[in-house]
Amino acid sequence: MVVSERRLLVRFFQIGSVLALAGSIHVLTLLLPWYTVRADSVSTSVLSGYLLPETLALSVAGGVLAGLSLLVTSFSQRPMAVRTVLVVLSLLGGVLAMVSPLYLGLVRVPALSVAGEPGIGFFIALFSAIVILALGGVALMTRPRVVEIPYQGYGGVSGATVSSTQPMETTSFEVAGEVEEGVVCPICYTSVEAENAVRCSSCGVVFHSGCLDAYVNINGTCPNCGRAVV
Ligand SMILES: [Zn+2]
Ligand SMILES: [Zn+2]
């Protein structure tokens, strides 16, 4: 996925949000039955994820690492630094989250030498771990587009004034009033209705007010044009 530098922080913010969600879901599966083991034909017992110290530690660590990535996307304005930390945290967290159910299913349960079958928690834990790993991959493949500065020719703008780091311009957001049919919020990709829409006064892009508030509180800029919000 190649996106412009400006949109990179938005993209990483989105990835971080989904990572935090997947991490939370993973930790919550600890409360669900991970395995049902049968000692004999009458007595069965249910193993929840939190009952074993190993799975508890691995899954909580994995989930927390995934959740931390959202904090990182919130605290840094440098896309490439955010990307590195995002990739490291999600791959590390994803591996820990993945090892947790596999350890139970492939090491602990066979060691009990009883019949056992994985439960709903086991599968959700495994799936959420895969999601965390996949998001790490997505973050890894998200790169800024190389911006080529067009040749200006004679009498064009001199090289010195063409800079990739423009002076910090400012913008503000206003209630959008009317929103055209089918407009989607660039943050959450769902459609925007007039009653909760705000518009950037510089670039004119429409966002959900809730989505925008969350982004601006953290980054202080318009997610689309990157101008500082005053
Ligand atoms: Zn939205
Ligand atoms: Zn804007």
Side-chain angles (χ1 to χ4, degrees):
M1 215 178 308
V2 178
V3 294
S4 76
E5 184 114 16
R6 246 173 216 165
R7 290 182 182 262
L8 218 51
L9 281 171
V10 183
R11 188 60 57 86
F12 288 143
F13 180 73
Q14 291 165 340
I15 295 173
S17 308
V18 185
L19 270 170
L21 182 68
S24 322
I25 290 172
H26 185 80
V27 172
L28 285 175
T29 64
L30 288 169
L31 301 172
L32 295 171
W34 277 29
Y35 249 86
T36 307
V37 289
R38 256 186 300 280
D40 50 57
S41 55
V42 275
S43 61
T44 62
S45 54
V46 172
L47 279 179
S48 295
Y50 71 89
L51 290 175
L52 282 179
E54 294 93 334
T55 54
L56 180 64
L58 285 166
S59 283
V60 169
V64 167
L65 285 176
L68 275 180
S69 57
L70 181 60
L71 279 182
V72 176
T73 63
S74 315
F75 281 131
S76 177
Q77 292 291 323
R78 290 176 303 144
M80 298 327 278
V82 171
R83 175 170 170 261
T84 306
V85 181
L86 206 57
V87 168
V88 170
L89 284 179
S90 52
L91 293 185
L92 200 61
V95 167
L96 290 176
M98 179 79 88
V99 166
S100 180
L102 291 180
Y103 170 78
L104 179 67
L106 300 177
V107 180
R108 286 306 292 261
V109 171
L112 295 172
S113 36
V114 291
E117 34 189 67
I120 180 82
F122 178 86
F123 292 111
I124 302 178
L126 209 53
F127 179 72
S128 53
I130 293 170
V131 170
I132 294 171
L133 282 175
L135 286 165
V138 172
L140 190 64
M141 288 185 302
T142 304
R143 297 195 191 89
R145 183 189 298 136
V146 177
V147 180
E148 288 181 25
I149 299 168
Y151 176 61
Q152 297 292 336
Y154 296 113
V157 184
S158 77
T161 61
V162 180
S163 165
S164 58
T165 53
Q166 289 153 342
M168 204 58 168
E169 292 169 271
T170 59
T171 186
S172 59
F173 285 86
E174 58 225 15
V175 174
E178 266 176 39
V179 177
E180 304 81 61
E181 192 77 18
V183 169
V184 295
C185 166
I187 295 177
C188 68
Y189 296 125
T190 62
S191 66
V192 184
E193 314 296 336
E195 55 264 31
N196 57 5
V198 287
R199 190 186 298 274
C200 173
S201 60
S202 295
C203 64
V205 168
V206 174
F207 303 89
H208 289 122
S209 58
C211 292
L212 182 84
D213 283 349
Y215 186 88
V216 169
N217 279 338
I218 290 163
N219 296 292
T221 55
C222 169
N224 182 61
C225 64
R227 290 188 172 91
V229 178
V230 290

